[in-house]
Amino acid sequence: FQMDFRKAGIEKSLSFLSCTKKGISSAQARVRLQKYGENKIAEKKTSALRKITKHFFSPIPIVVLIAAALSIAIGHMEDGAMMFLLFILNGSISYYTEAKADTAIASLEKKISVMARVLRNKRWEKIGSELLVPGDLIELKGGNIVPADAKIIEGSIEVDQSALTGESLPVELKSSSLAYASSLVQRGLAKAIVVLTGENTTFGKTAKLPQLQKPQS
């Protein structure tokens, strides 16, 4: 996208997205879903080998392993064996704990699916937020999580966007304001046009920052 939707007016945004204040049809949504992809941020998964390496070959485990090797080398077999056993147990328990936590989080994420109320084919329906595309008309009200960056076209809402902007107090968003994905709507009711999804959202770009940082030489 080559438009700053924070500054662009409603009509200019609608024109850029080739949509109207009534959103788009299901057929248009299918085409856009193929073009832009699902409205989610790709997770950076760590391989099992990397996790094992982290738990068994970080500084402290390496010190224990070296101590075990030295004990065995000078003939203290029992002490060396005990330290080696400690090295194995510590790494195994640490790896198991992380794997169990990852499984629990993955299971929880499947159960907690953010739903969005969207107007398609002139009918309001609820769909998973990952299926939203630019041009969709959505409804935002108190208690909702903003599912994508969206341009308010009608009504007003108060949102908590402190995680993104650092603002400690709720912000009132009116017509032409931009609601950021992942913000929490505290009160109000508004209709908004989705303008950015997935990794193109403000939240998506923020989440990618650590991956873009390169170590200094």
Side-chain angles (χ1 to χ4, degrees):
F1 288 94
Q2 300 296 325
M3 174 175 286
D4 186 349
F5 288 104
R6 292 172 298 179
K7 298 179 180 179
I10 294 175
E11 295 303 326
K12 188 174 182 179
S13 298
L14 294 174
S15 175
F16 184 82
L17 295 169
S18 300
C19 65
T20 69
K21 291 184 178 180
K22 295 183 179 180
I24 56 177
S25 66
S26 295
Q28 289 175 308
R30 284 193 294 271
V31 173
R32 296 186 183 205
L33 188 61
Q34 290 182 342
K35 179 179 180 181
Y36 300 111
E38 291 191 344
N39 177 37
K40 60 183 182 181
I41 299 171
E43 297 181 17
K44 186 179 181 181
K45 296 184 178 180
T46 304
S47 67
L49 179 60
R50 186 180 291 269
K51 289 181 180 179
I52 291 173
T53 301
K54 178 181 70 173
H55 292 295
F56 282 91
F57 298 102
S58 56
I60 293 179
I62 288 177
V63 170
V64 174
L65 186 60
I66 292 174
L70 289 174
S71 294
I72 293 173
I74 62 176
H76 296 174
M77 303 300 291
E78 291 185 0
D79 290 342
M82 286 297 293
M83 284 187 281
F84 183 72
L85 180 60
L86 178 63
F87 167 77
I88 296 297
L89 285 176
N90 180 70
S92 299
I93 292 172
S94 182
Y95 174 76
Y96 172 76
T97 302
E98 183 182 10
K100 190 173 181 180
D102 289 343
T103 300
I105 291 173
S107 177
L108 184 62
E109 287 177 343
K110 289 182 179 179
K111 292 179 180 179
I112 304 176
S113 176
V114 177
M115 303 297 290
R117 192 159 186 258
V118 60
L119 183 67
R120 287 184 181 171
N121 303 320
K122 299 181 180 180
R123 291 174 53 187
W124 287 100
E125 58 181 295
K126 280 192 174 183
I127 64 172
S129 61
E130 71 276 4
L131 300 178
L132 290 175
V133 296
D136 267 327
L137 176 67
I138 59 175
E139 182 182 80
L140 300 172
K141 61 181 180 180
N144 289 165
I145 294 175
V146 181
D149 282 5
K151 193 81 168 175
I152 307 296
I153 63 170
E154 181 182 318
S156 65
I157 52 176
E158 284 189 10
V159 300
D160 177 359
Q161 53 189 25
S162 56
L164 285 171
T165 64
E167 296 167 301
S168 58
L169 298 176
V171 177
E172 183 178 10
L173 302 180
K174 299 180 179 180
S175 180
S176 198
S177 297
L178 185 66
Y180 297 129
S182 82
S183 299
L184 174 64
V185 182
Q186 295 193 333
R187 62 176 61 87
L189 177 66
K191 292 179 181 178
I193 291 290
V194 172
V195 295
L196 296 169
T197 59
E199 295 184 354
N200 290 314
T201 63
T202 303
F203 176 75
K205 291 176 180 177
T206 301
K208 287 177 65 178
L209 284 178
Q211 300 177 30
L212 297 176
Q213 293 178 349
K214 297 181 179 179
Q216 294 180 354
S217 55

